[in-house]
Amino acid sequence: MTVDNMRVDLGARSYDIRIGDGLIDAAGAEICALLGRRKVAIVTDQNVAGLHLDRLTAGLDAARLQSSSLILPPGELSKSWQTLEKLSEWLIGEQIGRDDLVIAFGGGVIGDLAGFAAAILRRGVRFVQIPTSLLAQVDSSVGGKTGINSPQGKNLIGAFAQPGLVLADIGVLDTLTPRDFIAGYGEVVKYGLLGDAGLFDWLEINGKALAAGDIDRRRHAVRRCCEIKAGIVARDEHEHGERALLNLGHTFGHALEAATGYGDRLLHGEGVAIGCVLAFELSQALGLCSQECPSRVRAHLRQMNMMTELSDIKGDLPDANGLMALMAQDKKVQAGKLRFILARDIGDSFVADGVDLDVVKSVLDAALAARR
Ligand code: GLY
C-alpha cells in the first residue's frame, strides 16, 4: 500500500495526515503508538458502520485493541446538543479517559461532533480522525475545528482541538453516493480558488476522471488539499488571519444551509459550491476581479454537475434581507460587520471586512431573481 504522509506542524500538538488506499484495515497498527492503554471508542454513523465498521474493528482486533462503537443517525442534524449529550454520556459510560482514544469514523458531521465530545470529555481526551467522505478527507478532518450547530447557526458551539492522527483511506471514496462525492468536491475546488490557481487548472482537466473513480487523481487531489490546509493551519491555527481564507464560499453557503434546514435540500459542500460562485460574483461586482473569473468557476462546477445557482435549490428561500440576516449569525461576523472572502483572481483570495452591504444585497437580489 502506498501511503503519503504529511505533518501538521504545531509544536507539541503536531500530527500526521496519512493518505492511502486500505488505511482502514491498518488503523489498529497505525494508532497503537498513540495509546496509553488498549482501549478505543469508535463514533460513527449508520451509513459508514454498514459499509466499513467491520473492517475497522477487525484491524483493531488484530492489533489487540479493545473497541466499542456508538452508531449515530447520519446527517447534519446529529450536530446537536441532544446528540452531543448522548455521545458524552456514552463515552463516560464506556469509561473513556485520557489514556484512551476516541476514533471519529465518518464524514464531516461525525468528525466535528466526535472531536468536540473528545475535546470536552474530562477536559480533553485524545482522538483520531478517520474521515470517510471526500469533504472530510480534504477539509474537515484536518485542523482541529470541532463543534455542533445551534438552531441559530452552524458551528456556533465548538472548540479548536487537534486530532492525534488523521487516516484518510481514499479507497472508501468509491462507496460514496455520487451526490455526496460531488458535494465534497466543492471543498476541493475551494482550495484551488482560494490560493492555488495551478490546482484549479488541474481540476478543470482532471476533475471528470477523478469523479469517475481514478484513484491516482483522487490521491493527488486529497494530498494537495491537505498540504494546503496543513500549511495554513500551521501558520494560523486559531484563525486570526490566513485561516479565514478556508471559509471561501462559506458565508453565503452557511446562510443557505440555515435557510434550507441543514438537511437534504442542500448539503454542506453544495452550499460551499454555490457560495464560491456568489463570492466571485460579489468580487466582480466590487470591481475586484474580471467577469471571466465567476464565469470560469461556474463553468467548471457545471461541468462537474454541481449546483452553482440559487435556482438549483428546491423549494422556497428567504429574500436577500432574510439571507443577510442569516449571514449575520455566522461566526465570521467581526465587530458587527460581515466578513467575506473575496478574490482578485482564481487562486488569489483575501479576507475583506466592511464590505458594502448594498452590493451584497444586489448580488443576492440578482441571484434570487434568476430563480423566478
Ligand atoms: N474548514 C475551515 C477550517 O478548517 O478552517
Side-chain angles (χ1 to χ4, degrees):
M1 176 178 41
T2 312
V3 178
D4 292 314
N5 200 77
M6 68 197 68
R7 193 132 180 98
V8 184
D9 211 345
L10 287 168
R13 284 167 293 105
S14 297
Y15 55 95
D16 288 334
I17 306 169
R18 292 171 63 70
I19 301 167
D21 182 2
L23 274 171
I24 287 177
D25 307 290
E30 293 277 347
I31 66 176
C32 257
L34 299 177
L35 279 162
R37 60 180 180 148
R38 309 189 74 76
K39 187 162 175 187
V40 301
I42 303 166
V43 184
T44 189
D45 72 26
Q46 285 150 357
N47 294 340
V48 174
L51 290 164
H52 310 297
L53 186 56
D54 287 350
R55 282 175 57 202
L56 177 61
T57 51
L60 296 172
D61 286 350
R64 299 214 307 280
L65 299 177
Q66 189 194 331
S67 67
S68 48
S69 315
L70 181 66
I71 301 173
L72 297 166
E76 192 73 30
L77 295 178
S78 283
K79 275 175 66 173
S80 64
W81 285 113
Q82 291 80 358
T83 314
L84 178 68
E85 181 181 7
K86 175 176 166 180
L87 168 55
S88 301
E89 294 299 333
W90 177 74
L91 290 169
I92 293 166
E94 292 293 314
Q95 298 183 329
I96 295 297
R98 294 215 185 128
D99 287 338
D100 305 313
L101 203 60
V102 174
I103 297 181
F105 186 44
V109 167
I110 288 293
D112 287 6
L113 172 72
F116 188 41
I120 58 176
L121 179 69
R122 303 183 204 279
R123 298 197 178 88
V125 303
R126 291 165 315 150
F127 66 103
V128 166
Q129 293 276 9
I130 306 186
T132 56
S133 68
L134 180 60
L135 182 144
Q137 293 192 356
V138 299
D139 193 62
S140 59
S141 68
V142 175
K145 277 193 180 174
T146 70
I148 57 171
N149 301 330
S150 147
Q152 300 190 64
K154 205 170 148 76
N155 297 332
L156 290 180
I157 303 122
F160 283 102
Q162 299 295 339
L165 176 69
V166 179
L167 295 175
D169 185 338
I170 49 172
V172 302
L173 299 177
D174 271 341
T175 60
L176 296 175
T177 64
R179 186 178 177 197
D180 280 328
F181 184 90
I182 218 65
Y185 187 80
E187 295 277 2
V188 177
V189 172
K190 177 193 84 175
Y191 280 93
L193 296 177
L194 74 88
D196 187 347
L199 174 61
F200 188 79
D201 294 344
W202 185 88
L203 291 171
E204 285 182 316
I205 296 164
N206 294 284
K208 278 282 190 197
L210 182 162
D214 185 293
I215 193 93
D216 291 330
R217 289 180 170 90
R218 286 182 174 187
R219 181 193 294 275
H220 176 83
V222 173
R223 187 177 54 215
R224 186 66 200 122
C225 294
C226 287
E227 271 166 11
I228 297 171
K229 183 149 190 185
I232 291 176
V233 168
R235 291 186 293 272
D236 179 24
E237 182 182 8
H238 294 121
E239 201 172 304
H240 297 304
E242 183 188 7
R243 184 167 181 163
L245 298 180
L246 294 167
N247 296 324
L248 177 62
H250 284 61
T251 306
F252 289 111
H254 282 174
L256 294 171
E257 281 186 89
T260 51
Y262 300 117
D264 201 48
R265 272 178 75 197
L266 187 74
L267 305 179
H268 174 67
E270 294 170 339
V272 171
I274 297 173
C276 284
V277 172
L278 289 169
F280 272 83
E281 288 290 0
L282 177 58
S283 302
Q284 195 270 325
L286 290 164
L288 295 163
C289 70
S290 68
Q291 178 57 55
E292 194 205 334
C293 291
S295 303
R296 205 173 145 202
V297 177
R298 186 177 267 119
H300 178 55
L301 295 175
R302 279 260 168 252
Q303 176 201 13
M304 298 299 292
N305 298 321
M306 299 190 69
M307 290 191 183
T308 56
E309 315 300 321
L310 297 187
S311 53
D312 292 330
I313 302 172
K314 293 197 180 74
D316 292 336
L317 284 179
D319 64 11
N321 287 326
L323 288 173
M324 287 170 70
L326 291 169
M327 286 180 199
Q329 284 296 344
D330 200 79
K331 295 191 286 5
K332 292 175 283 299
V333 178
Q334 293 275 318
K337 293 212 166 104
L338 285 179
R339 162 172 280 198
F340 287 92
I341 311 307
L342 300 177
R344 296 179 199 93
D345 202 346
I346 284 172
D348 182 8
S349 66
F350 63 99
V351 181
D353 293 315
V355 174
D356 184 342
L357 294 184
D358 288 340
V359 184
V360 178
K361 183 170 178 307
S362 68
V363 167
L364 285 172
D365 278 336
L368 287 161
R371 281 168 63 84
R372 295 184 197 115

mmCIF file of all heavy atoms in Angstrom, residues 139-140 142-145 160 187 190-191 229 232-233 237 239 243-247 250 268, ligand 1:
data_model
loop_
_atom_site.group_PDB
_atom_site.id
_atom_site.type_symbol
_atom_site.label_atom_id
_atom_site.label_comp_id
_atom_site.label_asym_id
_atom_site.label_seq_id
_atom_site.Cartn_x
_atom_site.Cartn_y
_atom_site.Cartn_z
ATOM 1 N N ASP A 139 -10.814 18.397 4.020
ATOM 2 C CA ASP A 139 -11.018 19.629 4.784
ATOM 3 C C ASP A 139 -11.283 19.409 6.269
ATOM 4 O O ASP A 139 -10.441 19.699 7.105
ATOM 5 C CB ASP A 139 -12.154 20.448 4.162
ATOM 6 C CG ASP A 139 -12.207 21.858 4.713
ATOM 7 O OD1 ASP A 139 -11.231 22.598 4.528
ATOM 8 O OD2 ASP A 139 -13.210 22.218 5.358
ATOM 9 N N SER A 140 -12.450 18.847 6.599
ATOM 10 C CA SER A 140 -12.887 18.983 7.998
ATOM 11 C C SER A 140 -12.104 18.132 8.983
ATOM 12 O O SER A 140 -12.076 18.443 10.168
ATOM 13 C CB SER A 140 -14.393 18.697 8.113
ATOM 14 O OG SER A 140 -14.681 17.404 7.666
ATOM 15 N N VAL A 142 -8.947 17.796 9.145
ATOM 16 C CA VAL A 142 -7.625 18.392 9.377
ATOM 17 C C VAL A 142 -7.796 19.772 10.008
ATOM 18 O O VAL A 142 -8.629 20.557 9.550
ATOM 19 C CB VAL A 142 -6.857 18.522 8.037
ATOM 20 C CG1 VAL A 142 -5.529 19.243 8.244
ATOM 21 C CG2 VAL A 142 -6.649 17.163 7.406
ATOM 22 N N GLY A 143 -7.042 20.065 11.036
ATOM 23 C CA GLY A 143 -7.013 21.444 11.522
ATOM 24 C C GLY A 143 -7.698 21.688 12.838
ATOM 25 O O GLY A 143 -7.604 22.782 13.387
ATOM 26 N N GLY A 144 -8.437 20.679 13.362
ATOM 27 C CA GLY A 144 -8.906 20.769 14.730
ATOM 28 C C GLY A 144 -10.135 21.615 14.977
ATOM 29 O O GLY A 144 -10.422 21.957 16.118
ATOM 30 N N LYS A 145 -10.886 21.949 13.933
ATOM 31 C CA LYS A 145 -12.160 22.628 14.219
ATOM 32 C C LYS A 145 -13.175 21.562 14.596
ATOM 33 O O LYS A 145 -13.419 20.622 13.830
ATOM 34 C CB LYS A 145 -12.653 23.386 12.992
ATOM 35 C CG LYS A 145 -12.023 24.759 12.852
ATOM 36 C CD LYS A 145 -12.776 25.585 11.822
ATOM 37 C CE LYS A 145 -12.143 26.952 11.683
ATOM 38 N NZ LYS A 145 -12.771 27.730 10.598
ATOM 39 N N PHE A 160 -11.386 24.540 19.260
ATOM 40 C CA PHE A 160 -10.256 24.046 18.488
ATOM 41 C C PHE A 160 -9.634 22.906 19.288
ATOM 42 O O PHE A 160 -9.250 23.092 20.450
ATOM 43 C CB PHE A 160 -9.201 25.148 18.298
ATOM 44 C CG PHE A 160 -9.571 26.163 17.259
ATOM 45 C CD1 PHE A 160 -10.065 27.404 17.623
ATOM 46 C CD2 PHE A 160 -9.415 25.878 15.912
ATOM 47 C CE1 PHE A 160 -10.405 28.345 16.656
ATOM 48 C CE2 PHE A 160 -9.754 26.816 14.941
ATOM 49 C CZ PHE A 160 -10.251 28.053 15.312
ATOM 50 N N GLU A 187 -15.461 21.429 -1.855
ATOM 51 C CA GLU A 187 -14.354 21.860 -0.991
ATOM 52 C C GLU A 187 -13.016 21.740 -1.725
ATOM 53 O O GLU A 187 -12.107 22.527 -1.497
ATOM 54 C CB GLU A 187 -14.314 21.044 0.309
ATOM 55 C CG GLU A 187 -15.508 21.238 1.224
ATOM 56 C CD GLU A 187 -15.404 22.486 2.122
ATOM 57 O OE1 GLU A 187 -14.425 23.240 2.022
ATOM 58 O OE2 GLU A 187 -16.342 22.691 2.918
ATOM 59 N N LYS A 190 -12.677 24.684 -3.815
ATOM 60 C CA LYS A 190 -12.397 25.828 -2.932
ATOM 61 C C LYS A 190 -10.895 26.028 -2.747
ATOM 62 O O LYS A 190 -10.411 27.165 -2.756
ATOM 63 C CB LYS A 190 -13.081 25.589 -1.579
ATOM 64 C CG LYS A 190 -12.821 26.659 -0.547
ATOM 65 C CD LYS A 190 -13.249 26.218 0.849
ATOM 66 C CE LYS A 190 -12.159 25.388 1.540
ATOM 67 N NZ LYS A 190 -12.487 25.045 2.931
ATOM 68 N N TYR A 191 -10.152 24.939 -2.553
ATOM 69 C CA TYR A 191 -8.697 25.076 -2.331
ATOM 70 C C TYR A 191 -8.005 25.700 -3.537
ATOM 71 O O TYR A 191 -7.110 26.531 -3.384
ATOM 72 C CB TYR A 191 -8.063 23.719 -1.990
ATOM 73 C CG TYR A 191 -8.268 23.361 -0.548
ATOM 74 C CD1 TYR A 191 -9.346 22.591 -0.153
ATOM 75 C CD2 TYR A 191 -7.406 23.829 0.431
ATOM 76 C CE1 TYR A 191 -9.566 22.287 1.178
ATOM 77 C CE2 TYR A 191 -7.605 23.531 1.769
ATOM 78 C CZ TYR A 191 -8.684 22.758 2.133
ATOM 79 O OH TYR A 191 -8.898 22.473 3.457
ATOM 80 N N LYS A 229 -3.961 22.849 3.380
ATOM 81 C CA LYS A 229 -4.586 23.087 4.688
ATOM 82 C C LYS A 229 -3.568 22.956 5.813
ATOM 83 O O LYS A 229 -3.576 23.766 6.760
ATOM 84 C CB LYS A 229 -5.768 22.143 4.914
ATOM 85 C CG LYS A 229 -6.438 22.457 6.243
ATOM 86 C CD LYS A 229 -7.899 22.193 6.255
ATOM 87 C CE LYS A 229 -8.522 22.761 7.526
ATOM 88 N NZ LYS A 229 -9.920 22.439 7.657
ATOM 89 N N ILE A 232 -1.633 26.147 6.077
ATOM 90 C CA ILE A 232 -2.408 27.272 6.612
ATOM 91 C C ILE A 232 -2.641 27.097 8.115
ATOM 92 O O ILE A 232 -2.466 28.036 8.898
ATOM 93 C CB ILE A 232 -3.759 27.403 5.855
ATOM 94 C CG1 ILE A 232 -3.514 27.861 4.412
ATOM 95 C CG2 ILE A 232 -4.704 28.359 6.577
ATOM 96 C CD1 ILE A 232 -4.767 27.938 3.548
ATOM 97 N N VAL A 233 -2.996 25.873 8.518
ATOM 98 C CA VAL A 233 -3.279 25.627 9.940
ATOM 99 C C VAL A 233 -2.011 25.818 10.779
ATOM 100 O O VAL A 233 -2.053 26.382 11.873
ATOM 101 C CB VAL A 233 -3.880 24.214 10.125
ATOM 102 C CG1 VAL A 233 -3.913 23.809 11.599
ATOM 103 C CG2 VAL A 233 -5.286 24.152 9.532
ATOM 104 N N GLU A 237 -3.335 28.652 13.436
ATOM 105 C CA GLU A 237 -4.208 27.600 13.984
ATOM 106 C C GLU A 237 -5.583 28.132 14.388
ATOM 107 O O GLU A 237 -6.601 27.490 14.148
ATOM 108 C CB GLU A 237 -3.519 26.947 15.195
ATOM 109 C CG GLU A 237 -4.330 25.813 15.797
ATOM 110 C CD GLU A 237 -3.673 25.211 17.028
ATOM 111 O OE1 GLU A 237 -2.661 25.759 17.511
ATOM 112 O OE2 GLU A 237 -4.191 24.181 17.506
ATOM 113 N N GLU A 239 -7.262 30.880 13.514
ATOM 114 C CA GLU A 239 -7.982 31.743 12.569
ATOM 115 C C GLU A 239 -7.959 33.209 12.969
ATOM 116 O O GLU A 239 -8.988 33.884 13.027
ATOM 117 C CB GLU A 239 -9.430 31.249 12.386
ATOM 118 C CG GLU A 239 -10.050 31.750 11.095
ATOM 119 C CD GLU A 239 -11.407 31.105 10.800
ATOM 120 O OE1 GLU A 239 -11.484 29.871 10.740
ATOM 121 O OE2 GLU A 239 -12.374 31.849 10.630
ATOM 122 N N ARG A 243 -6.126 31.691 8.014
ATOM 123 C CA ARG A 243 -7.026 30.531 8.019
ATOM 124 C C ARG A 243 -8.433 30.885 7.550
ATOM 125 O O ARG A 243 -9.163 30.043 7.031
ATOM 126 C CB ARG A 243 -7.073 29.891 9.407
ATOM 127 C CG ARG A 243 -7.913 28.634 9.430
ATOM 128 C CD ARG A 243 -7.737 27.800 10.672
ATOM 129 N NE ARG A 243 -8.578 26.615 10.575
ATOM 130 C CZ ARG A 243 -8.443 25.532 11.317
ATOM 131 N NH1 ARG A 243 -7.499 25.460 12.216
ATOM 132 N NH2 ARG A 243 -9.260 24.499 11.153
ATOM 133 N N ALA A 244 -8.804 32.130 7.742
ATOM 134 C CA ALA A 244 -10.154 32.545 7.325
ATOM 135 C C ALA A 244 -10.371 32.320 5.826
ATOM 136 O O ALA A 244 -11.506 32.176 5.371
ATOM 137 C CB ALA A 244 -10.386 34.009 7.686
ATOM 138 N N LEU A 245 -9.277 32.265 5.056
ATOM 139 C CA LEU A 245 -9.429 32.020 3.608
ATOM 140 C C LEU A 245 -10.142 30.692 3.337
ATOM 141 O O LEU A 245 -10.803 30.531 2.309
ATOM 142 C CB LEU A 245 -8.065 32.010 2.908
ATOM 143 C CG LEU A 245 -7.248 33.308 2.969
ATOM 144 C CD1 LEU A 245 -5.933 33.134 2.233
ATOM 145 C CD2 LEU A 245 -8.043 34.472 2.379
ATOM 146 N N LEU A 246 -9.993 29.749 4.290
ATOM 147 C CA LEU A 246 -10.647 28.449 4.120
ATOM 148 C C LEU A 246 -12.162 28.576 4.168
ATOM 149 O O LEU A 246 -12.888 27.629 3.875
ATOM 150 C CB LEU A 246 -10.172 27.473 5.199
ATOM 151 C CG LEU A 246 -8.694 27.080 5.124
ATOM 152 C CD1 LEU A 246 -8.257 26.387 6.406
ATOM 153 C CD2 LEU A 246 -8.431 26.181 3.926
ATOM 154 N N ASN A 247 -12.637 29.751 4.552
ATOM 155 C CA ASN A 247 -14.085 29.981 4.582
ATOM 156 C C ASN A 247 -14.606 30.544 3.266
ATOM 157 O O ASN A 247 -15.764 30.987 3.203
ATOM 158 C CB ASN A 247 -14.439 30.934 5.722
ATOM 159 C CG ASN A 247 -14.120 30.332 7.075
ATOM 160 O OD1 ASN A 247 -14.276 29.126 7.260
ATOM 161 N ND2 ASN A 247 -13.651 31.149 7.998
ATOM 162 N N HIS A 250 -18.208 30.158 2.292
ATOM 163 C CA HIS A 250 -18.938 29.673 3.461
ATOM 164 C C HIS A 250 -19.896 30.705 4.056
ATOM 165 O O HIS A 250 -20.871 30.320 4.706
ATOM 166 C CB HIS A 250 -17.968 29.192 4.542
ATOM 167 C CG HIS A 250 -17.350 27.853 4.237
ATOM 168 N ND1 HIS A 250 -16.561 27.620 3.120
ATOM 169 C CD2 HIS A 250 -17.407 26.670 4.889
ATOM 170 C CE1 HIS A 250 -16.165 26.368 3.127
ATOM 171 N NE2 HIS A 250 -16.663 25.764 4.179
ATOM 172 N N HIS A 268 -23.692 20.433 2.754
ATOM 173 C CA HIS A 268 -22.717 21.475 3.057
ATOM 174 C C HIS A 268 -21.860 21.832 1.836
ATOM 175 O O HIS A 268 -21.705 23.005 1.475
ATOM 176 C CB HIS A 268 -21.827 21.036 4.224
ATOM 177 C CG HIS A 268 -20.713 21.989 4.510
ATOM 178 N ND1 HIS A 268 -20.938 23.262 5.004
ATOM 179 C CD2 HIS A 268 -19.367 21.879 4.335
ATOM 180 C CE1 HIS A 268 -19.778 23.889 5.129
ATOM 181 N NE2 HIS A 268 -18.812 23.083 4.737
HETATM 182 N N1 GLY B 1 -12.994 24.311 7.286
HETATM 183 C C1 GLY B 1 -12.344 25.533 7.534
HETATM 184 C C2 GLY B 1 -11.237 25.442 8.533
HETATM 185 O O1 GLY B 1 -10.900 24.366 8.955
HETATM 186 O O2 GLY B 1 -10.700 26.436 8.932
#
